[in-house]
Amino acid sequence: MAPFDLRLQEVHNKLASKELSVTDLVQESYRRIAETDASIQAFLTLNEDGARAAASELDKQLQEGGERGLLFGLPAGIKDNIVTEGLLTTCASQFLRNHDPIYDATVVKKLKAAQSVTIGKLNMDEFAMGGSNENSSFYPTRNPWNTEYVPGGSSGGSAAAVAAGQVYFSLGSDTGGSIRQPAAYCGVVGLKPTYGLVSRFGLVAFASSLDQIGPLTKNVEDSAYVLQALAGYDEMDSTSANVDIPDYVNALNGDVKGLRIGVPKEYLGQGIDPKVKEAVLNALKVYESLGATWEEVSLPHTEYAVATYYLLASSEASSNLARFDGVRYGVRADNPDNLIELYRKSRSQGFGPEVKRRIMLGTYALSSGYYDAYYLKAQKVRTLIKQDFDNVFANYDLIIGPTAPTPAFHIGEQVNDPLTMYLNDICTIPVSLAGVPAISVPCGFADGLPIGLQIIGKAFDETTVLRAAHAYEQHTEHHKQRPQL
């Protein structure tokens, strides 16, 4: 069995018994990248010198019998919108192609404290805007299950690298589904924590009221370990929640007997691929066999979620990206005639089409005379969507449905149809607007492409989400499937 197919505890046992070294794990990561990344293109930047030096230091600690961190020696990839000291952070944009941060994001500090090893930075849609990873300004990442298909976005590089066995786990960011949707397309586990549970300090902001960092892993147990390392209050993030952090790993006891599950009729209705619907219904049968119960429920404002999301997210993006002007941040255009010309040329040359589209949409929605009609109204609808979830969670422990309405689509199939592209996030966006946690786990295949099951929980109740996902995983084999590369 390949080292990255082992469970975390199995890897740590082999490290302790000297059957493996951290250097072996890092070498395996770079060997696999050399073998597969020409066809996958998951990485933008590699950290070979830094990773090998870190591995050597950890091996030395191992020999000396020192205390080992929660993620000791595990090779990790990091989405390229999470800043890393001394390692390029480009957000997959020409505007930041030379950006070399002088500090680490809080989550990167936490990974280092847990003694993980950073292998490199992972490809993404530019500034996390996109649902297919085709909006990277460098090159698109491809789906390891079929390289003619997209891996999903915007954390497509993070999902593809885990699916291809290039890293043990990765970090992504989720604004409207950007961890869960690529996890579903690539057949891995993707967790979006409750808004505020994991620090956003050092995450290049797209839409600040929605952005969340979370792990992509091969299985639910590993996801619990990584969340344990990342979760917690951070005084550097004004939106960080000061809550008690439970033991996520010990919560994986396999017991879902008596759990009450709500299944929104809006998530299994029009627009959902029949094979996706069948896979979700089969998953519900597994839960029934384990003693849980489920009933159809309604989230009546779901039909407004996509429009609401794109108004709010684009408005926040137009504000957040204003600082990229060629003076304070970003690559400066050559030979401007004056300051206004410098701003205009730098932003025109630096941003790609999808980023420009969202900046213009957001600026329009926030402009005088349109604020009440669009932005304020969208905020009111967001409140109604949040109330939908509150109403269901008053009677149910979890909400379950598909992660995406279809499996992955062909590269180029929707690139000129942004509205169709936006609808791929119809099942994940309402969760992001409500700020509650959700996980995507593999639940089947359609024509050789993975399908994702989305398990949604109450705010800060990641333990129930992980426990239910782990119980399902223990009674199915979907998460053990690997793409042939």
Side-chain angles (χ1 to χ4, degrees):
M1 181 179 288
F4 294 172
D5 285 335
L6 298 171
R7 293 169 48 242
L8 185 148
Q9 276 304 316
E10 293 172 326
V11 174
H12 278 182
N13 289 341
K14 287 184 178 292
L15 287 170
S17 65
K18 308 296 189 293
E19 291 180 63
L20 277 176
S21 69
V22 179
T23 298
D24 291 337
L25 294 174
V26 170
Q27 286 177 341
E28 170 64 12
S29 190
Y30 288 118
R31 184 198 68 77
R32 188 65 176 161
I33 290 169
E35 183 178 76
T36 60
D37 213 48
S39 58
I40 302 300
Q41 297 184 309
F43 276 88
L44 290 175
T45 305
L46 295 178
N47 179 41
E48 289 202 56
D49 290 344
R52 294 187 194 282
S56 178
E57 181 61 31
L58 291 175
D59 279 333
K60 183 179 176 185
Q61 291 183 31
L62 195 62
Q63 292 293 334
E64 294 172 350
E67 189 172 339
R68 285 175 285 154
L70 195 64
L71 305 175
F72 183 87
L74 299 179
I78 298 174
K79 187 176 180 179
D80 208 27
N81 59 349
I82 299 171
V83 300
T84 43
E85 182 180 3
L87 192 59
L88 286 177
T89 300
T90 70
C91 291
S93 175
Q94 296 301 321
F95 219 154
L96 292 178
R97 63 180 181 269
N98 62 355
H99 181 51
D100 188 1
I102 59 172
Y103 67 97
D104 280 327
T106 295
V107 292
V108 175
K109 289 181 180 177
K110 290 197 170 190
L111 289 188
K112 288 181 176 178
Q115 297 179 304
S116 172
V117 180
T118 299
I119 295 298
K121 304 299 287 292
L122 291 158
N123 202 6
M124 54 183 282
D125 285 304
E126 184 179 6
F127 283 102
M129 298 180 192
S132 66
N133 226 120
E134 294 168 288
N135 293 315
S136 167
S137 74
F138 295 97
Y139 38 77
T141 295
R142 295 173 177 270
N143 193 315
W145 291 92
N146 186 329
T147 54
E148 297 300 314
Y149 287 76
V150 302
S154 62
S155 305
S158 300
V162 174
Q166 296 175 335
V167 290
Y168 192 83
F169 73 91
S170 66
L171 296 187
S173 69
D174 191 313
T175 306
S178 291
I179 290 175
R180 292 161 285 159
Q181 186 243 36
Y185 284 2
C186 291
V188 298
V189 174
L191 172 64
K192 185 201 87 69
T194 306
Y195 183 79
L197 182 68
V198 173
S199 172
R200 294 185 302 110
F201 179 73
L203 172 68
V204 179
F206 161 21
S208 304
S209 75
L210 296 158
D211 297 336
Q212 267 293 272
I213 297 172
L216 292 108
T217 57
K218 296 181 305 301
N219 58 61
V220 176
E221 182 181 341
D222 290 351
S223 184
Y225 272 102
V226 180
L227 181 64
Q228 198 77 58
L230 299 181
Y233 175 69
D234 179 16
E235 63 180 12
M236 299 297 288
D237 177 0
S238 63
T239 61
S240 180
N242 195 351
V243 297
D244 293 334
I245 304 301
D247 190 326
Y248 300 116
V249 178
N250 279 337
L252 307 180
N253 59 19
D255 183 12
V256 295
K257 190 174 183 179
L259 272 186
R260 296 161 299 170
I261 299 169
V263 180
K265 62 181 181 182
E266 294 82 3
Y267 287 15
L268 291 177
Q270 188 177 6
I272 305 298
D273 186 298
K275 293 178 180 176
V276 171
K277 181 176 180 177
E278 182 183 0
V280 172
L281 293 174
N282 287 337
L284 291 169
K285 290 178 183 175
V286 173
Y287 280 112
E288 283 182 328
S289 71
L290 298 175
T293 59
W294 69 273
E295 294 178 319
E296 185 178 274
V297 298
S298 178
L299 298 170
H301 295 94
T302 297
E303 63 177 304
Y304 307 113
V306 172
T308 300
Y309 169 82
Y310 279 97
L311 273 168
L312 296 178
S314 298
S315 297
E316 293 183 26
S318 74
S319 175
N320 280 325
L321 270 60
R323 65 183 182 274
F324 298 105
D325 55 12
V327 177
R328 289 167 291 185
Y329 292 95
V331 175
R332 183 174 299 179
D334 294 330
N335 304 317
D337 294 331
N338 51 51
L339 185 61
I340 299 300
E341 183 74 357
L342 169 64
Y343 293 157
R344 189 187 66 78
K345 289 180 68 174
S346 296
R347 289 170 68 81
S348 296
Q349 295 170 9
F351 290 136
E354 182 62 24
V355 175
K356 290 175 182 173
R357 181 183 295 122
R358 299 197 193 198
I359 289 175
M360 287 191 287
L361 173 62
T363 303
Y364 182 81
L366 291 174
S367 61
S368 177
Y370 296 101
Y371 176 90
D372 288 353
Y374 295 110
Y375 183 79
L376 184 60
K377 185 172 287 185
Q379 288 286 26
K380 291 178 179 178
V381 177
R382 181 179 188 174
T383 299
L384 295 174
I385 290 170
K386 172 69 166 58
Q387 289 174 352
D388 285 349
F389 281 90
D390 291 343
N391 292 337
V392 172
F393 282 132
N395 298 303
Y396 298 89
D397 301 298
L398 294 168
I399 295 172
I400 285 182
T403 306
T406 67
F409 47 90
H410 272 100
I411 290 175
E413 182 179 340
Q414 298 179 10
V415 72
N416 294 317
D417 186 358
L419 293 181
T420 299
M421 183 82 78
Y422 295 167
L423 289 173
N424 291 311
D425 293 335
I426 184 71
C427 300
T428 54
I429 278 175
V431 180
S432 298
L433 291 169
V436 295
I439 196 168
S440 179
V441 296
C443 71
F445 291 83
D447 303 322
L449 294 167
I451 297 171
L453 179 74
Q454 185 175 208
I455 303 169
I456 306 161
K458 301 173 185 175
F460 300 107
D461 191 16
E462 276 79 1
T463 51
T464 302
V465 172
L466 289 164
R467 177 160 57 94
H470 184 255
Y472 172 76
E473 199 178 69
Q474 297 309 298
H475 292 82
T476 57
E477 299 289 321
H478 308 302
H479 66 290
K480 296 180 180 177
Q481 305 299 313
R482 298 285 180 266
Q484 299 300 311
L485 290 166

